[in-house]
Amino acid sequence: MLVVFGCKDDEVKPTDIISRIEVANEGVLADGNTVIEIRAFMPEEVDKRSIKFKVTKGKFLNSQTDTIVVRNAVIIDDELQALALYQVPSTAGDITVSAEPDIVDQEGRYLVYETFTIGKSEADKLSLESSSFSVNNNYGEITISGSVKNSYGRNASNGISILLEDYDSTFSPLGGIFKNQMLSVSSGTITTIYTPGKVDADQYIYIVGTVLNDVGQKTNKTDTIKVYVTNN
């Protein structure tokens, strides 16, 4: 049973138990790594001081299930509050967090909600790598991978599009084969398989990656790697 001193049980409202939820999300971007604080505040008259937090996306640190964590409330700065550490997701958008007393037979009765927004972590730097410095000219294959970071050096958000193109030694379009030429960023990375097909050996070819904007247009965020074509 939950007790709020001075109130009858049937008169208790959710906000009598948890007065508010605060989320420290100002300026936070969906990079999949940033950790922020979520706090639930309670009046000192409440006797049950164990709070269950739930989120719709992202994950709590030090929890057995990513989206649920239980924390005990303590006095901080003269206020009774429960603190949860939350790692933001890699996808931008609205996130809802709920808090309630951790009482099995009263689950859902005293829920308090707060919805907050995590902004998009825009791509600022693309860095490509090849699994090999050379590739055979008879449909030899290499893996092209890359990292995509924002201006703070953290991962770009999921879903950002990267276009890969190949060129010969004169920088004319080569027309090789990418397993996926249009890639979508996932956890700050991209990867695909590439073959130049049947091309002349003893030349460098160039793989160019370009970040696309929200309407599919090329931006000035690019990177280029070169690979030598062999015939063995």
Side-chain angles (χ1 to χ4, degrees):
M1 180 177 178
L2 186 147
V3 175
V4 181
F5 297 108
C7 293
K8 295 180 180 179
D9 183 57
D10 59 359
E11 295 176 347
V12 177
K13 303 185 296 296
T15 51
D16 291 329
I17 310 302
I18 299 173
S19 57
R20 69 187 190 278
I21 298 173
E22 290 186 359
V23 182
N25 67 309
E26 184 175 354
V28 175
L29 304 175
D31 59 25
N33 298 117
T34 297
V35 175
I36 64 175
E37 295 180 348
I38 299 178
R39 298 173 185 264
F41 292 82
M42 309 171 67
E44 293 186 38
E45 294 80 8
V46 176
D47 71 329
K48 301 296 185 183
R49 299 185 173 187
S50 186
I51 298 300
K52 181 190 291 184
F53 293 91
K54 293 183 181 181
V55 286
T56 52
K57 289 192 297 186
K59 65 180 182 179
F60 290 111
L61 301 188
N62 304 315
S63 63
Q64 291 184 337
T65 57
D66 288 346
T67 58
I68 301 174
V69 71
V70 177
R71 289 290 180 263
N72 292 324
V74 296
I75 300 292
I76 302 175
D77 297 329
D78 298 324
E79 288 190 279
L80 182 61
Q81 53 187 278
L83 168 64
L85 297 178
Y86 168 76
Q87 186 171 326
V88 302
S90 297
T91 304
D94 291 339
I95 298 166
T96 298
V97 57
S98 66
E100 65 177 330
D102 186 31
I103 305 172
V104 174
D105 62 354
Q106 297 188 36
E107 184 173 3
R109 182 174 179 181
Y110 299 109
L111 273 173
V112 176
Y113 297 90
E114 182 71 24
T115 298
F116 59 99
T117 301
I118 298 295
K120 185 178 180 181
S121 177
E122 297 286 359
D124 184 71
K125 184 178 181 180
L126 169 64
S127 300
L128 295 180
E129 293 183 355
S130 170
S131 61
S132 175
F133 294 112
S134 63
V135 62
N136 187 272
N137 69 336
N138 188 23
Y139 292 96
E141 292 184 339
I142 54 175
T143 299
I144 304 297
S145 58
S147 64
V148 189
K149 303 293 185 180
N150 64 20
S151 58
Y152 303 102
R154 293 181 174 270
N155 288 345
S157 291
N158 288 356
I160 292 174
S161 295
I162 308 294
L163 175 66
L164 296 180
E165 298 171 292
D166 59 342
Y167 298 89
D168 65 16
S169 58
T170 66
F171 241 82
S172 298
L174 185 62
I177 301 170
F178 295 93
K179 183 177 180 180
N180 296 103
Q181 187 174 11
M182 185 79 73
L183 301 171
S184 182
V185 173
S186 177
S187 299
T189 63
I190 56 169
T191 186
T192 192
I193 303 297
Y194 168 77
T195 176
K198 275 191 168 294
V199 296
D200 293 336
D202 301 320
Q203 65 166 320
Y204 279 104
I205 59 175
Y206 299 87
I207 309 295
V208 179
T210 304
V211 177
L212 305 183
N213 62 22
D214 290 340
V215 294
Q217 299 171 328
K218 291 183 177 181
T219 70
N220 62 354
K221 312 299 183 183
T222 67
D223 192 31
T224 301
I225 56 174
K226 66 179 183 179
V227 179
Y228 192 70
V229 180
T230 68
N231 60 0
N232 52 32

